[in-house]
């Protein structure tokens, strides 16, 4: 255990109130000291509920010498600005996924953190769940033979009108909101040597941002990755990796609750077996990893976040512009 890191929060966001602030309150690794909102009453309400100091406006957290680290759960379009401001103020940063809206912005804040010797982490909790290390271990042990293809999907139901994910000005869209998960899973299991071979982004329900997408990636060695994502869909969350001798597949991979016991399905010529992995609290593990990064003075941003940003940009660039909602004349 490390000395708890004193954290201030920028914005009374839904994800903060539902998941991160309860986890911070329960964690021995962080000490929640302040929560800020643009709205005084919202700050007061959240602070009373989670037993910390309310701050009106985000600047007050950055100038507070009692705050060592800042958690940024703002709309994507504001991530780079407030992450940069927090690093400038000498604070370590845990920012929501994706870390920023582009590779350029991510590289910029990564360089800021490196220069100042501050920890910078993206809050993409699933990577901390041990089930992925177990899948990687099985692949490395040769249980599927030579890897040939990876497939991952993350789709979620549509949010109400006005939600930040449906607003272009706030950095909305399915690629950033949901596509980031399969992209990161591909990086986790196939490594950084991935390029985009093709992609499609599309819109439904009159949305001003893309609500669905698919991308085909490949490694230099010829392993393909088929990624699917969306935010106007039934809930799906899983991946499989298939090779010359079999395949491994897992469901509920991206946002499993802490009591979920993952099952890795292994299929090969001898049949199907199920490998049960112990349940894990991936949000708690993320906070522990962040606190360690702060206390160990590990200033480096995980390289995978830079590769993730590069691939998200490349998927957007590869998608043909005519991929909007089909018109009524079609068909
Ligand atoms: N890691 C995960 O599993 C996960 C899950 C869901 C969401 N997220 C990420 O977390 C972030 C927030 O998502 P959310 O669903 O919690 O969003 P949300 O409920 O809309 O919260 C965003 C917060 O940002 C603040 N804000 C500042 N300027 C704003 C503006 N112009 N418009 C709207 N809000 C503004 C608001 O706080 P105040 O009014 O209090 O200032 C608002 O409550 C996003 O980056 C999202 O991708 C991550």
């Amino acid at each position: 255990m490390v000395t708890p890191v004193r954290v201030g929060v920028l914005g009374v966001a839904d994800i903060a109130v539902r998941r991160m602030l309860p986890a911070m309150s329960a964690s021995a690794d962080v000490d929640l000291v302040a929560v800020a909102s643009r709205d005084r009453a919202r700050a007061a309400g959240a602070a009373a509920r989670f037993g910390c100091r309310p701050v009106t406006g985000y600047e007050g957290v950055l100038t507070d010498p009692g705050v060592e680290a800042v958690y940024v759960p703002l709309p994507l379009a504001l991530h780079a600005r407030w992450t940069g401001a927090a690093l400038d103020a000498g604070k370590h940063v845990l920012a929501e996924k994706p870390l920023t809206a582009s590779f350029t912005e991510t590289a910029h804040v990564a360089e800021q953190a490196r220069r100042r010797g501050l920890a910078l982490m993206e809050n993409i909790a699933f990577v901390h769940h041990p089930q992925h290390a177990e899948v990687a271990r099985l692949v490395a042990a040769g249980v599927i033979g030579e890897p040939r293809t990876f497939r991952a999907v993350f789709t979620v139901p549509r949010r109400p009108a006005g939600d930040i994910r449906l607003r272009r000005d706030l950095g909305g869209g399915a690629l950033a909101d949901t596509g980031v998960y399969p992209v990161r899973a591909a990086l986790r299991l196939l490594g950084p040597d991935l390029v985009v071979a093709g992609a499609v982004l599309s819109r439904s329900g009159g949305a001003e941002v893309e609500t669905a997408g698919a991308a085909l990636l490949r490694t230099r060695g010829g392993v393909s990755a088929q990624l699917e994502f969306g935010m106007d869909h039934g809930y799906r969350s899983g991946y499989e990796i298939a090779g010359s001798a079999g395949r491994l597949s897992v469901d509920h991979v991206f946002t499993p609750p802490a009591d979920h016991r993952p099952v890795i399905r292994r299929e090969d010529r001898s049949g199907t077996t199920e490998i049960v992995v112990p349940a894990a609290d991936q949000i708690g593990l993320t906070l522990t990893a962040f606190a360690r990064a702060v206390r160990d003075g590990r200033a480096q941003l995980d390289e995978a976040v830079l590769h993730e940003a590069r691939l998200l940009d490349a998927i957007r660039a590869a998608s043909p512009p005519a991929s909007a909602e089909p018109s009524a004349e079609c068909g």
Side-chain angles (χ1 to χ4, degrees):
M1 208 180 91
V2 297
T3 310
V5 175
R6 296 188 303 279
V7 174
V9 178
L10 304 188
V12 182
D14 176 64
I15 184 65
V17 173
R18 260 188 324 109
R19 295 267 183 268
M20 295 303 290
L21 298 191
M24 287 181 192
S25 298
S27 172
D29 297 311
V30 301
D31 189 4
L32 181 59
V33 294
V35 59
S37 172
R38 296 166 301 169
D39 179 87
R40 182 188 299 268
R42 272 165 75 79
R49 181 165 160 200
F50 294 102
C52 63
R53 192 167 72 77
V55 179
T56 307
Y58 304 150
E59 282 293 344
V61 170
L62 305 191
T63 53
D64 181 344
V67 169
E68 294 176 275
V70 165
Y71 166 55
V72 180
L74 297 171
L76 175 59
L78 302 177
H79 286 192
R81 171 178 160 204
W82 285 101
T83 295
L87 293 167
D88 270 346
K91 312 296 186 193
H92 306 278
V93 176
L94 174 66
E96 270 307 335
K97 43 56 55 172
L99 184 62
T100 76
S102 69
F103 177 81
T104 306
E105 286 182 347
T106 292
H108 183 75
V109 291
E111 175 56 20
Q112 251 182 302
R114 194 196 59 76
R115 257 190 286 114
R116 302 207 50 149
L118 294 164
L120 173 61
M121 190 182 278
E122 177 186 57
N123 190 32
I124 187 144
F126 87 88
V127 299
H128 299 281
H129 198 298
Q131 65 178 321
H132 312 294
E134 180 59 13
V135 172
R137 191 190 67 74
L138 291 166
V139 172
V143 303
I144 62 164
E146 272 183 51
R148 301 277 191 243
T149 186
F150 174 78
R151 289 148 64 100
V153 58
F154 189 47
T155 63
V156 298
R158 192 179 179 106
R159 296 278 184 142
D163 187 276
I164 58 167
R165 291 158 189 76
L166 293 165
R167 285 183 51 184
R168 193 195 301 270
D169 62 333
L170 295 180
L175 176 59
D177 190 51
T178 48
V180 63
Y181 290 88
V183 165
R184 190 59 176 271
L187 286 164
R188 174 71 180 84
L189 288 163
L190 303 181
D193 167 34
L194 276 166
V195 292
V196 174
V200 177
L201 299 177
S202 52
R203 286 188 270 137
S204 55
E208 62 183 36
V209 294
E210 81 280 355
T211 52
L216 178 65
L217 280 59
R218 65 177 162 78
T219 66
R220 267 194 218 106
V223 180
S224 63
Q226 300 171 52
L227 314 181
E228 209 186 312
F229 45 92
M231 56 179 198
D232 194 7
H233 297 63
Y235 186 84
R236 287 169 70 206
S237 169
Y239 65 63
E240 69 166 47
I241 182 160
S244 54
R247 76 181 180 119
L248 298 168
S249 57
V250 206
D251 281 330
H252 299 300
V253 284
F254 296 123
T255 56
D259 60 358
H260 173 71
R261 298 194 68 195
V263 176
I264 302 170
R265 268 172 78 87
R266 173 182 170 180
E267 290 167 68
D268 57 27
R269 286 172 66 177
S270 57
T272 301
T273 45
E274 294 193 337
I275 301 153
V276 181
V277 181
D281 172 7
Q282 61 183 29
I283 296 180
L285 290 171
T286 304
L287 292 175
T288 300
F290 179 63
R292 285 222 185 94
V294 169
R295 292 293 174 234
D296 294 353
R298 266 191 284 121
Q300 303 306 346
L301 177 70
D302 184 343
E303 279 281 311
V305 183
L306 285 159
H307 289 294
E308 171 194 294
R310 169 179 64 78
L311 290 172
L312 291 176
D313 278 6
I315 289 171
R316 190 169 296 289
S319 173
S323 54
E325 211 160 353
S327 77
E329 292 119 55
C330 290

